[in-house]
Amino acid sequence: MDQDHGATDKVKLTADDTSEDELHTSLQQPSRTLKSTAQQDSSFNEPRSRSREHTLAREGYGFRTTSRIASSAGTPVVEHSLHSLSISAPSPIPDMHGLGWPAKSTVSRLNETPQERAAREAKLAAAVRTLLEGIGEDPDREGLVRTPERYAKALLWMTKGYEERLTDVINDAIFAEDHDEMVIVRDIDVFSLCEHHLVPFTGKISIGYIPNGLVLGLSKLARIAETFSRRLQVQERLTRQIAIAVEEAIRPMGVAVVMEATHLCMCMRGVQKPGSTTVTSTMRGAFREKAKTREEFLTLIRTPQYSR
């Protein structure tokens, strides 16, 4: 479920004036801290160097477990574990398990035993048998007798993104690199299930970011897209989740994601318009703030592919 807390809703903390007790208080009263900080600093929304401040974004996935707080005077960075502060108020990071917008029973699925997995498959198979009976079919005829079990296994595989932690997906493939130009992986094929009708939508995703001292393994961009697409989705949320995951993983100067997809819920039912496509985009940081940067990204992802 999408928990949109806003990209600019952040709490600014520095080592010069923030103790652990004050950090505890600021997390309990985020709106008051945000208001007072914004009043003191007229340039609150301007981009800043990561080495001079750390912001606790009120969104994210929880796979970054430490808060790096550096003073404005350039003193050594202090690391605080969010879990070690014994914060009684809800964490600004909504998902401590690193799953990103987990569903109601996602955690139980993540940690289930083989016996619990078998029970889940049996429950799904029984539900599919009921569906077959509901549409007037005979679930005991030769062609359908094993369909409930097959579909149960297939559906669990098609939604395996619920069982993947982003920290495991990224797997420490984050590298320090002095590169501050745009990095783009484009035309990533994705397949997902529309959560409104449980029918597929398929398309391509292009992901770009501008590093800020760290780069992400190229294959991890595709894996992040795969993780979120293997869940019940709407295209708008899928696009945004990918962007936020990249942003939280490496804190780049900006992230851009564009997705173009065909939805079978529009093609094979309802309005029945085959050939129609839906395009969504999420622009964050420099891509949102600078028109030329955004234009460069959009131009590069539309350039014809090189062919020999």
Short mmCIF file of all heavy atoms in Angstrom, two decimals, residues 55-105:
data_model
loop_
_atom_site.label_atom_id
_atom_site.label_comp_id
_atom_site.label_asym_id
_atom_site.label_seq_id
_atom_site.Cartn_x
_atom_site.Cartn_y
_atom_site.Cartn_z
N THR A 55 19.27 14.30 6.22
CA THR A 55 17.84 14.48 6.41
C THR A 55 17.17 13.13 6.57
O THR A 55 17.53 12.16 5.92
CB THR A 55 17.22 15.19 5.19
OG1 THR A 55 17.53 14.46 4.02
CG2 THR A 55 17.74 16.61 5.07
N LEU A 56 16.20 13.10 7.47
CA LEU A 56 15.40 11.89 7.65
C LEU A 56 14.16 12.04 6.80
O LEU A 56 13.25 12.77 7.14
CB LEU A 56 15.02 11.73 9.12
CG LEU A 56 16.14 11.30 10.07
CD1 LEU A 56 15.62 11.28 11.49
CD2 LEU A 56 16.70 9.96 9.69
N ALA A 57 14.13 11.36 5.66
CA ALA A 57 12.99 11.47 4.76
C ALA A 57 11.80 10.74 5.37
O ALA A 57 11.93 9.65 5.89
CB ALA A 57 13.34 10.88 3.40
N ARG A 58 10.64 11.34 5.25
CA ARG A 58 9.45 10.72 5.80
C ARG A 58 8.80 9.81 4.78
O ARG A 58 7.63 9.90 4.45
CB ARG A 58 8.48 11.80 6.29
CG ARG A 58 9.12 12.74 7.30
CD ARG A 58 8.09 13.58 8.00
NE ARG A 58 7.15 12.74 8.75
CZ ARG A 58 7.43 12.16 9.90
NH1 ARG A 58 8.63 12.29 10.42
NH2 ARG A 58 6.53 11.43 10.50
N GLU A 59 9.59 8.96 4.23
CA GLU A 59 9.16 7.92 3.30
C GLU A 59 10.35 6.98 3.18
O GLU A 59 11.42 7.26 3.68
CB GLU A 59 8.80 8.51 1.94
CG GLU A 59 9.96 9.22 1.28
CD GLU A 59 9.52 9.95 0.04
OE1 GLU A 59 8.33 9.94 -0.29
OE2 GLU A 59 10.38 10.52 -0.61
N GLY A 60 10.19 5.85 2.52
CA GLY A 60 11.35 5.00 2.33
C GLY A 60 11.06 3.55 2.64
O GLY A 60 9.93 3.17 2.85
N TYR A 61 12.13 2.78 2.75
CA TYR A 61 11.99 1.33 2.84
C TYR A 61 12.66 0.71 4.05
O TYR A 61 12.48 -0.45 4.33
CB TYR A 61 12.55 0.70 1.57
CG TYR A 61 11.85 1.21 0.34
CD1 TYR A 61 12.48 2.08 -0.53
CD2 TYR A 61 10.53 0.88 0.10
CE1 TYR A 61 11.82 2.57 -1.63
CE2 TYR A 61 9.86 1.37 -0.99
CZ TYR A 61 10.51 2.22 -1.85
OH TYR A 61 9.86 2.71 -2.93
N GLY A 62 13.48 1.47 4.76
CA GLY A 62 14.03 0.93 5.99
C GLY A 62 15.23 0.04 5.82
O GLY A 62 15.64 -0.62 6.77
N PHE A 63 15.84 -0.03 4.65
CA PHE A 63 17.02 -0.88 4.53
C PHE A 63 18.30 -0.10 4.77
O PHE A 63 19.38 -0.66 4.74
CB PHE A 63 17.06 -1.59 3.17
CG PHE A 63 17.16 -0.68 1.97
CD1 PHE A 63 18.38 -0.32 1.45
CD2 PHE A 63 16.02 -0.23 1.35
CE1 PHE A 63 18.47 0.50 0.35
CE2 PHE A 63 16.09 0.59 0.24
CZ PHE A 63 17.32 0.95 -0.26
N ARG A 64 18.21 1.22 5.02
CA ARG A 64 19.36 1.99 5.49
C ARG A 64 19.19 2.13 7.00
O ARG A 64 18.36 2.90 7.47
CB ARG A 64 19.41 3.36 4.81
CG ARG A 64 19.64 3.27 3.33
CD ARG A 64 19.56 4.64 2.69
NE ARG A 64 20.63 5.52 3.15
CZ ARG A 64 21.81 5.62 2.53
NH1 ARG A 64 22.06 4.89 1.46
NH2 ARG A 64 22.74 6.43 2.98
N THR A 65 19.96 1.38 7.77
CA THR A 65 19.69 1.26 9.20
C THR A 65 20.39 2.30 10.05
O THR A 65 20.15 2.40 11.23
CB THR A 65 20.13 -0.12 9.71
OG1 THR A 65 21.52 -0.31 9.42
CG2 THR A 65 19.31 -1.21 9.04
N THR A 66 21.32 3.09 9.47
CA THR A 66 22.01 4.09 10.27
C THR A 66 21.76 5.47 9.74
O THR A 66 21.58 5.67 8.55
CB THR A 66 23.53 3.83 10.29
OG1 THR A 66 24.02 3.86 8.95
CG2 THR A 66 23.85 2.51 10.94
N SER A 67 21.73 6.43 10.65
CA SER A 67 21.57 7.83 10.28
C SER A 67 22.92 8.51 10.44
O SER A 67 23.45 8.60 11.53
CB SER A 67 20.53 8.48 11.21
OG SER A 67 20.52 9.87 11.02
N ARG A 68 23.48 8.96 9.33
CA ARG A 68 24.78 9.60 9.36
C ARG A 68 24.58 11.10 9.55
O ARG A 68 24.01 11.77 8.71
CB ARG A 68 25.54 9.32 8.07
CG ARG A 68 25.85 7.84 7.88
CD ARG A 68 26.54 7.60 6.54
NE ARG A 68 27.81 8.26 6.47
CZ ARG A 68 28.95 7.77 6.95
NH1 ARG A 68 28.93 6.62 7.59
NH2 ARG A 68 30.09 8.42 6.82
N ILE A 69 25.07 11.61 10.68
CA ILE A 69 24.85 13.01 11.02
C ILE A 69 26.19 13.70 11.08
O ILE A 69 27.03 13.39 11.91
CB ILE A 69 24.11 13.14 12.37
CG1 ILE A 69 22.81 12.34 12.33
CG2 ILE A 69 23.85 14.59 12.70
CD1 ILE A 69 22.08 12.34 13.62
N ALA A 70 26.44 14.66 10.20
CA ALA A 70 27.70 15.38 10.16
C ALA A 70 27.48 16.84 10.54
O ALA A 70 26.46 17.42 10.21
CB ALA A 70 28.32 15.30 8.76
N SER A 71 28.45 17.43 11.23
CA SER A 71 28.29 18.82 11.64
C SER A 71 28.65 19.75 10.50
O SER A 71 29.40 19.41 9.61
CB SER A 71 29.20 19.11 12.83
OG SER A 71 30.55 19.22 12.39
N SER A 72 28.12 20.97 10.57
CA SER A 72 28.40 21.95 9.55
C SER A 72 29.84 22.43 9.61
O SER A 72 30.35 23.02 8.67
CB SER A 72 27.45 23.15 9.70
OG SER A 72 27.59 23.72 10.99
N ALA A 73 30.51 22.19 10.74
CA ALA A 73 31.90 22.62 10.88
C ALA A 73 32.88 21.61 10.33
O ALA A 73 34.08 21.81 10.38
CB ALA A 73 32.20 22.88 12.35
N GLY A 74 32.37 20.50 9.81
CA GLY A 74 33.24 19.51 9.20
C GLY A 74 33.83 18.53 10.18
O GLY A 74 34.86 17.90 9.91
N THR A 75 33.21 18.37 11.36
CA THR A 75 33.69 17.39 12.33
C THR A 75 33.36 16.00 11.85
O THR A 75 32.54 15.81 10.95
CB THR A 75 33.03 17.64 13.70
OG1 THR A 75 31.61 17.62 13.54
CG2 THR A 75 33.44 18.97 14.27
N PRO A 76 34.00 14.97 12.42
CA PRO A 76 33.77 13.61 11.94
C PRO A 76 32.30 13.21 11.98
O PRO A 76 31.55 13.66 12.84
CB PRO A 76 34.61 12.76 12.91
CG PRO A 76 35.66 13.69 13.40
CD PRO A 76 35.01 15.03 13.47
N VAL A 77 31.93 12.38 11.05
CA VAL A 77 30.55 11.91 10.96
C VAL A 77 30.21 11.02 12.14
O VAL A 77 31.01 10.18 12.56
CB VAL A 77 30.34 11.14 9.64
CG1 VAL A 77 28.98 10.44 9.64
CG2 VAL A 77 30.47 12.08 8.46
N VAL A 78 29.04 11.22 12.72
CA VAL A 78 28.56 10.40 13.81
C VAL A 78 27.45 9.50 13.29
O VAL A 78 26.56 9.97 12.59
CB VAL A 78 28.01 11.28 14.96
CG1 VAL A 78 27.50 10.42 16.11
CG2 VAL A 78 29.10 12.23 15.46
N GLU A 79 27.50 8.23 13.61
CA GLU A 79 26.47 7.30 13.15
C GLU A 79 25.57 6.92 14.31
O GLU A 79 26.03 6.56 15.39
CB GLU A 79 27.09 6.05 12.54
CG GLU A 79 27.85 6.33 11.25
CD GLU A 79 28.14 5.06 10.48
OE1 GLU A 79 27.74 3.98 10.96
OE2 GLU A 79 28.74 5.15 9.40
N HIS A 80 24.28 7.04 14.09
CA HIS A 80 23.28 6.65 15.08
C HIS A 80 22.42 5.55 14.49
O HIS A 80 21.86 5.72 13.42
CB HIS A 80 22.38 7.84 15.45
CG HIS A 80 23.10 8.94 16.17
ND1 HIS A 80 23.38 8.88 17.51
CD2 HIS A 80 23.60 10.12 15.72
CE1 HIS A 80 24.01 9.98 17.88
NE2 HIS A 80 24.16 10.75 16.81
N SER A 81 22.30 4.44 15.18
CA SER A 81 21.37 3.41 14.74
C SER A 81 19.98 3.81 15.18
O SER A 81 19.74 4.07 16.36
CB SER A 81 21.74 2.05 15.36
OG SER A 81 20.71 1.12 15.11
N LEU A 82 19.05 3.86 14.21
CA LEU A 82 17.69 4.25 14.55
C LEU A 82 17.06 3.26 15.51
O LEU A 82 16.22 3.62 16.33
CB LEU A 82 16.85 4.36 13.27
CG LEU A 82 17.26 5.47 12.31
CD1 LEU A 82 16.34 5.45 11.09
CD2 LEU A 82 17.20 6.83 12.97
N HIS A 83 17.48 1.99 15.43
CA HIS A 83 16.89 0.98 16.29
C HIS A 83 17.47 1.06 17.71
O HIS A 83 16.86 0.59 18.66
CB HIS A 83 17.14 -0.41 15.72
CG HIS A 83 16.53 -0.61 14.37
ND1 HIS A 83 15.17 -0.64 14.16
CD2 HIS A 83 17.10 -0.74 13.15
CE1 HIS A 83 14.92 -0.81 12.88
NE2 HIS A 83 16.08 -0.86 12.24
N SER A 84 18.67 1.65 17.88
CA SER A 84 19.31 1.69 19.19
C SER A 84 18.83 2.85 20.03
O SER A 84 19.18 2.96 21.19
CB SER A 84 20.82 1.79 19.02
OG SER A 84 21.18 3.06 18.48
N LEU A 85 18.04 3.77 19.47
CA LEU A 85 17.61 4.95 20.21
C LEU A 85 16.36 4.72 21.05
O LEU A 85 15.93 5.61 21.75
CB LEU A 85 17.35 6.11 19.22
CG LEU A 85 18.58 6.57 18.44
CD1 LEU A 85 18.20 7.74 17.55
CD2 LEU A 85 19.71 6.98 19.38
N SER A 86 15.78 3.52 20.95
CA SER A 86 14.57 3.18 21.71
C SER A 86 13.48 4.21 21.50
O SER A 86 12.89 4.75 22.44
CB SER A 86 14.90 3.06 23.21
OG SER A 86 15.87 2.06 23.42
N ILE A 87 13.22 4.53 20.25
CA ILE A 87 12.22 5.53 19.92
C ILE A 87 10.82 4.92 20.05
O ILE A 87 10.51 3.94 19.41
CB ILE A 87 12.44 6.06 18.49
CG1 ILE A 87 13.82 6.70 18.41
CG2 ILE A 87 11.37 7.05 18.09
CD1 ILE A 87 14.22 7.08 17.01
N SER A 88 9.99 5.54 20.91
CA SER A 88 8.66 4.99 21.12
C SER A 88 7.69 5.45 20.05
O SER A 88 6.71 4.78 19.77
CB SER A 88 8.14 5.41 22.50
OG SER A 88 8.10 6.83 22.61
N ALA A 89 7.94 6.61 19.44
CA ALA A 89 7.07 7.11 18.38
C ALA A 89 7.32 6.33 17.10
O ALA A 89 8.38 5.74 16.92
CB ALA A 89 7.33 8.60 18.16
N PRO A 90 6.34 6.32 16.19
CA PRO A 90 6.54 5.61 14.92
C PRO A 90 7.76 6.15 14.18
O PRO A 90 8.01 7.34 14.13
CB PRO A 90 5.24 5.90 14.16
CG PRO A 90 4.24 6.23 15.22
CD PRO A 90 5.01 6.91 16.31
N SER A 91 8.54 5.22 13.61
CA SER A 91 9.72 5.62 12.85
C SER A 91 9.30 6.38 11.60
O SER A 91 8.27 6.09 11.01
CB SER A 91 10.52 4.38 12.45
OG SER A 91 11.50 4.72 11.49
N PRO A 92 10.11 7.37 11.16
CA PRO A 92 9.79 8.04 9.90
C PRO A 92 9.95 7.12 8.71
O PRO A 92 9.50 7.42 7.63
CB PRO A 92 10.81 9.19 9.86
CG PRO A 92 11.94 8.74 10.72
CD PRO A 92 11.30 7.93 11.81
N ILE A 93 10.62 5.98 8.92
CA ILE A 93 10.74 4.98 7.87
C ILE A 93 9.63 3.97 8.07
O ILE A 93 9.60 3.27 9.08
CB ILE A 93 12.12 4.28 7.90
CG1 ILE A 93 13.22 5.32 7.71
CG2 ILE A 93 12.21 3.21 6.83
CD1 ILE A 93 14.61 4.78 7.89
N PRO A 94 8.68 3.85 7.14
CA PRO A 94 7.47 3.07 7.41
C PRO A 94 7.66 1.57 7.44
O PRO A 94 6.84 0.88 7.97
CB PRO A 94 6.53 3.47 6.26
CG PRO A 94 7.45 3.90 5.17
CD PRO A 94 8.62 4.53 5.85
N ASP A 95 8.75 1.05 6.88
CA ASP A 95 8.89 -0.40 6.78
C ASP A 95 10.22 -0.86 7.34
O ASP A 95 11.25 -0.80 6.68
CB ASP A 95 8.76 -0.84 5.32
CG ASP A 95 8.98 -2.34 5.17
OD1 ASP A 95 8.77 -3.06 6.16
OD2 ASP A 95 9.39 -2.77 4.09
N MET A 96 10.24 -1.31 8.57
CA MET A 96 11.47 -1.74 9.21
C MET A 96 12.02 -3.02 8.62
O MET A 96 13.19 -3.36 8.82
CB MET A 96 11.23 -1.94 10.71
CG MET A 96 10.22 -3.02 11.05
SD MET A 96 9.98 -3.22 12.83
CE MET A 96 11.58 -3.91 13.29
N HIS A 97 11.21 -3.75 7.85
CA HIS A 97 11.66 -5.01 7.26
C HIS A 97 12.33 -4.82 5.91
O HIS A 97 12.81 -5.78 5.32
CB HIS A 97 10.49 -5.99 7.13
CG HIS A 97 9.84 -6.30 8.44
ND1 HIS A 97 10.37 -7.19 9.35
CD2 HIS A 97 8.71 -5.81 9.01
CE1 HIS A 97 9.60 -7.24 10.42
NE2 HIS A 97 8.58 -6.42 10.23
N GLY A 98 12.33 -3.59 5.38
CA GLY A 98 13.01 -3.34 4.12
C GLY A 98 12.26 -3.82 2.90
O GLY A 98 12.84 -3.99 1.83
N LEU A 99 10.96 -4.03 3.04
CA LEU A 99 10.17 -4.54 1.91
C LEU A 99 9.60 -3.41 1.06
O LEU A 99 9.40 -3.56 -0.14
CB LEU A 99 9.03 -5.42 2.41
CG LEU A 99 9.46 -6.74 3.06
CD1 LEU A 99 8.33 -7.31 3.90
CD2 LEU A 99 9.89 -7.74 1.99
N GLY A 100 9.30 -2.29 1.67
CA GLY A 100 8.71 -1.17 0.94
C GLY A 100 7.22 -1.35 0.76
O GLY A 100 6.77 -2.16 -0.03
N TRP A 101 6.44 -0.57 1.49
CA TRP A 101 4.98 -0.64 1.42
C TRP A 101 4.46 -2.08 1.53
O TRP A 101 3.79 -2.58 0.64
CB TRP A 101 4.47 0.00 0.13
CG TRP A 101 4.50 1.48 0.16
CD1 TRP A 101 3.71 2.30 0.91
CD2 TRP A 101 5.35 2.34 -0.58
NE1 TRP A 101 4.03 3.62 0.67
CE2 TRP A 101 5.02 3.67 -0.24
CE3 TRP A 101 6.36 2.12 -1.52
CZ2 TRP A 101 5.67 4.76 -0.80
CZ3 TRP A 101 7.00 3.20 -2.07
CH2 TRP A 101 6.67 4.50 -1.71
N PRO A 102 4.77 -2.77 2.61
CA PRO A 102 4.33 -4.17 2.71
C PRO A 102 2.83 -4.27 2.85
O PRO A 102 2.18 -3.40 3.42
CB PRO A 102 5.04 -4.66 3.98
CG PRO A 102 5.19 -3.43 4.81
CD PRO A 102 5.45 -2.31 3.82
N ALA A 103 2.26 -5.34 2.32
CA ALA A 103 0.84 -5.59 2.47
C ALA A 103 0.57 -6.17 3.86
O ALA A 103 1.49 -6.43 4.64
CB ALA A 103 0.36 -6.54 1.38
N LYS A 104 -0.69 -6.41 4.16
CA LYS A 104 -1.10 -6.82 5.50
C LYS A 104 -0.38 -8.08 5.97
O LYS A 104 0.07 -8.16 7.13
CB LYS A 104 -2.61 -7.04 5.52
CG LYS A 104 -3.16 -7.47 6.87
CD LYS A 104 -4.66 -7.63 6.80
CE LYS A 104 -5.23 -8.08 8.14
NZ LYS A 104 -6.70 -8.24 8.10
N SER A 105 -0.25 -9.06 5.09
CA SER A 105 0.35 -10.34 5.49
C SER A 105 1.71 -10.58 4.86
O SER A 105 2.20 -11.71 4.84
CB SER A 105 -0.60 -11.49 5.10
OG SER A 105 -1.86 -11.33 5.70
#
